[in-house]
Amino acid sequence: MTTPRLIKSIGRSPLRLALLPLLFACFAIAQSAQAAESNEGDLIGNMAEEHGAVPKLGSGTQNAAAGQSAPRQIGHNKWVIPIDFTKPLQCAGGNVIVHANLVVTFKNVPDVGVVRHELKLEGFSGTATNGSRKLEANPKDLTFLPYVKVDSKNGGPSFGFTFIVTGPGFQQGVAPLSFNVIYNANRYKFKDGKVTHLNADDTPLIKCKK
């Protein structure tokens, strides 16, 4: 009869009471871990959904935000300025889209420095979206602007250039389309007779010809 009393007394002992909070704590930790796992899964799922949605929502604005690509050197004192823009024009009845490469060469003039020398427009393609009209650029219309400025702030000269783009009118009886493309401040730096850096005008002026 002694053994049952001993077991009963142990069952009601302080040791059991001390273990109860520990059991509850372990249970709470397990529940928290499970909830964190669930939240983490939701977060990853949401991130994946957002990541998948970005190209769909931003693809239209991403191209517009990309803007002009940086000029690149292709030879001794020879650089390419990428031309890439979409612009709404009243005379076009909608947007005009233009892509081309402007090749500019420089020459070293003794006692003067490196100056702009020649221009060439390569790979031109253009479209007026209203009516999908093909645009053209006449190489003879590509010229330097008649000034050379020295940029005292950035420590280098700058030059400008312009060309004319033409195309059919956007409807019958409307005059043919014609607009100017003007790049004003194209700044460059040179050293030892060689152009070392070129910054193209990132806000070209596009305007209809009257």
Side-chain angles (χ1 to χ4, degrees):
M1 299 300 292
T2 305
T3 303
R5 289 197 192 98
L6 181 58
I7 293 175
K8 187 175 182 181
S9 64
I10 292 176
R12 295 177 178 177
S13 68
L15 179 61
R16 181 182 178 188
L17 296 176
L19 290 175
L20 287 176
L22 181 60
L23 291 174
F24 282 119
C26 292
F27 179 78
I29 292 172
Q31 290 294 322
S32 298
Q34 186 177 1
E37 249 180 70
S38 175
N39 289 340
E40 183 180 1
D42 292 342
L43 178 61
I44 292 173
N46 290 339
M47 288 175 65
E49 290 175 3
E50 290 174 4
H51 180 69
V54 165
K56 296 178 183 178
L57 295 175
S59 59
T61 57
Q62 184 179 359
N63 292 338
Q68 301 292 118
S69 300
R72 64 184 185 276
Q73 186 175 7
I74 59 172
H76 179 72
N77 279 343
K78 181 179 286 189
W79 289 69
V80 169
I81 298 176
I83 294 174
D84 185 4
F85 62 82
T86 300
K87 176 80 173 179
L89 288 178
Q90 185 176 2
C91 59
N95 284 339
V96 293
I97 304 172
V98 170
H99 305 283
N101 285 323
L102 188 285
V103 180
V104 55
T105 57
F106 301 84
K107 68 177 181 179
N108 187 31
V109 178
D111 301 324
V112 175
V114 177
V115 298
R116 84 281 192 282
H117 179 51
E118 289 181 343
L119 290 172
K120 186 178 181 182
L121 200 60
E122 296 182 344
F124 179 90
S125 66
T127 304
T129 57
N130 186 347
S132 299
R133 291 162 289 148
K134 183 179 179 181
L135 303 178
E136 297 180 348
N138 190 334
K140 294 181 180 180
D141 295 324
L142 176 64
T143 59
F144 285 109
L145 295 179
Y147 66 81
V148 176
K149 293 183 178 180
V150 175
D151 186 352
S152 58
K153 181 178 179 181
N154 296 302
S158 66
F159 65 93
F161 62 87
T162 182
F163 60 93
I164 298 172
V165 178
T166 60
F170 65 87
Q171 63 184 22
Q172 190 174 5
V174 174
L177 173 62
S178 181
F179 60 90
N180 289 93
V181 179
I182 304 170
Y183 280 68
N184 275 302
N186 304 281
R187 300 179 176 88
Y188 65 97
K189 295 182 179 181
F190 61 89
K191 184 178 181 181
D192 299 329
K194 182 180 179 181
V195 174
T196 58
H197 193 75
L198 174 60
N199 277 333
D201 183 0
D202 58 357
T203 55
L205 178 62
I206 320 296
K207 63 178 184 178
C208 297
K209 290 193 69 178
K210 295 181 179 180

